[in-house]
Amino acid sequence: MDITKGITTQDMEEDSWESLNLNVELLAAVNQFNFKYMTPVQATCIPQFLSKKDVAVEAVTGSGKTLAFLIPVLEILLQRSKNLKKHEVGAIIISPTRELALQIDEVLARLLKRLPQYTHQLVTGGYNPVIDIERFKETGGNVLVGTPGRLMDLLTSKNSDFNLGSHVRSLEVLILDEADRLLELGFETTLNMILKYLPKQRRTGLFSATQTNEVDQLIRVGLRNPVCITVKEKGCNENNALRTPSSLTNYYTICDPDKKLNCLVSFLRDHQQEKLIVFFSTCASVDYFSRLLKGILKKLAIISIHRKMRHKRHKLFKQFRDLNRGILLCTDVMARGIDVPDVHWVVQYDPPCSASAFVHRCGRTARIGNKGQALLFLLPTEETYVNFLQLNQKVILEKMDLGETFFNVLPKVKKMNMRDRDIFEKGKRAFVSYIQAYSKHECHLLFKVKDLDFGKLAEGFGLLKMPNMPEVKRQNVEGFVETEVDIQNIPFRDKRKEKERQNNLKIFIKVAPRRMIST
C-alpha cells in the first residue's frame, strides 16, 4: 500500500483552487462557493485523485471532504476522451444516510449548473424504487448519489426494460463517503455486492472520519494500491491526533437527574438567538422532550428528527438548515456528515452510546474552520467519562458551571402530562427507552444502571407514576412522589384518539368479566 504520512494543518501552505489547473467551467463552478483557498484535506487529496490514484482519506469531521471528492469526480469526467451519453453512469457516490446523500446531491447540483452537459440523480430509500427507475429512463444520471440499499435495489432490479448494471460499464469513479459509518450500519455485504457490478478499471475514493479494522478491510477489497491520507489538526502529532476540529471548544456540566431538564431549558433560553442541535439517546426521548420543549419554549423554533421518521426527515432537515436560529432535537441519525450552516452549539443531553459518536456529534459545529462550541450533560456518577474521552478520543473538555438557580419547569411538565395522554404515554416510553439504552452503553464500566437514582430520574422526566419495568423493581426510588391522579382518566387532547380510546375501554369492560368467568 502506498502510504502518504499524516499531514497536519501547520505543514500545509494555503493553496488556491487555481493551482489545480482545473477545467475552466469547473473552476468557475468552484469559485461560486467563495472559498479562496483549499482546506488541507482538499489540497492533499485532489491532486492525488487527479493523478489517477485511488485514495483512502481520514480527516476530522467538518474538514471539507465533500468538495475533496466532488471536484476530482467532475474533473475526471471532463477529461474523458469520449463524452458520456445521457444514460451512461460515470460516477457513483455512496453515503450511509439519506440526509447526507441529499446534502451531497445539493452541492453537486450547484456545481453542475456550470456543467449542464452532465445529469445527476439522487437515489435513496423511503419510496418505491420504480420512481427512481422511471426518472433515470427520462432524465438519465451521469452521476448517481445514493444509499447502499437503494443502489443495490436498482442493480438487482427485475424490471424487464431496465438494467442499471449495463449503464455502469462506463463508470470512472466510485466514492464511499463516511465509510466507517457505512460499516457500522451493517452495509459491508451490500457494498461488496455493489462492487461486483462495477468495472475494476475505475478510480475509487474512500473517505472517513475514523479509521477502523473494518475500513482497512474495505480498502483492501475495493481499492487498488491506494494512497492513504491522514489529515490531522494543528497542534497534534502521530501519537496525539485531535479527533475534533481545533476551532471547537468542548464543555461539560454536571447536573442531578431531577435538575437536568431545568438546566437544559435555562441554557436554551440563554441562547435563543442562536442555532443549536440537541442530541438524545433514543427516538422516544426525542418525541417526548420535543413535545415538552415546544410547550415550554413557545417562541423558539423547535424541530425534531430521528431514525423512525422515514418519510419526514428530508423535509424537516431542510427546514432546520434554512433557519437563522432555532433548535434541532435528534438522535445519532444526525451525528454523521450532516452539514448545517452556522450551528453555534451542539448539546449532548444524553451521553452518546460510544466515544466515537461523541466526536461525530460535536462535529456538527465548528465546520470548515468556523468556530463552534459543544456542551455535554453528565450526571454526578458519570463525571469520570470526561477522563475517558480525553484518553480514548484525545478530547479536552472544560467544566461549565450553569449555576444553581433555575426556574423549575417540572410542575408545568406534570400538568402537560395530566392534560394530554399522548404526552403522558410518550413520557413513559422515553423513560423506559432511556434505561434500556443506558444498560447497553459501550462504556458499561462507567455507565451502570445500578448507579442511577431512579427516583430523581423519574422526577427529572416529569413522570406522574413510576413505569412498571423490571429494572425499577430492583432499585430504590426514594425522592420520587407519584402524583395523585387516576391515570385512566387522563384524556388524549386529540379528539379522534380519545374517542377511539373510550370505545376500546367500553369493549374491554364488556369482555373482561367474561374472561374472568372463563378462567
Side-chain angles (χ1 to χ4, degrees), residues 166-184:
S166 66
H167 297 294
V168 299
R169 290 170 187 164
S170 300
L171 189 85
E172 296 278 354
V173 193
L174 170 67
I175 301 294
L176 301 175
D177 191 26
E178 298 286 352
D180 47 342
R181 182 61 172 160
L182 283 167
L183 297 174
E184 281 178 18

Side-chain angles (χ1 to χ4, degrees), residues 144-185:
L144 297 182
V145 181
T147 48
R150 177 46 54 94
L151 283 165
M152 196 66 236
D153 288 342
L154 297 179
L155 285 167
T156 58
S157 171
K158 293 189 169 114
N159 191 302
S160 58
D161 58 346
F162 176 79
N163 179 10
L164 184 59
S166 66
H167 297 294
V168 299
R169 290 170 187 164
S170 300
L171 189 85
E172 296 278 354
V173 193
L174 170 67
I175 301 294
L176 301 175
D177 191 26
E178 298 286 352
D180 47 342
R181 182 61 172 160
L182 283 167
L183 297 174
E184 281 178 18
L185 293 174

Side-chain angles (χ1 to χ4, degrees), residues 252-267:
Y252 75 96
T253 190
I254 305 298
C255 293
D256 285 324
D258 57 338
K259 306 259 179 45
K260 197 173 172 185
L261 182 57
N262 291 332
C263 290
L264 177 64
V265 170
S266 176
F267 183 85

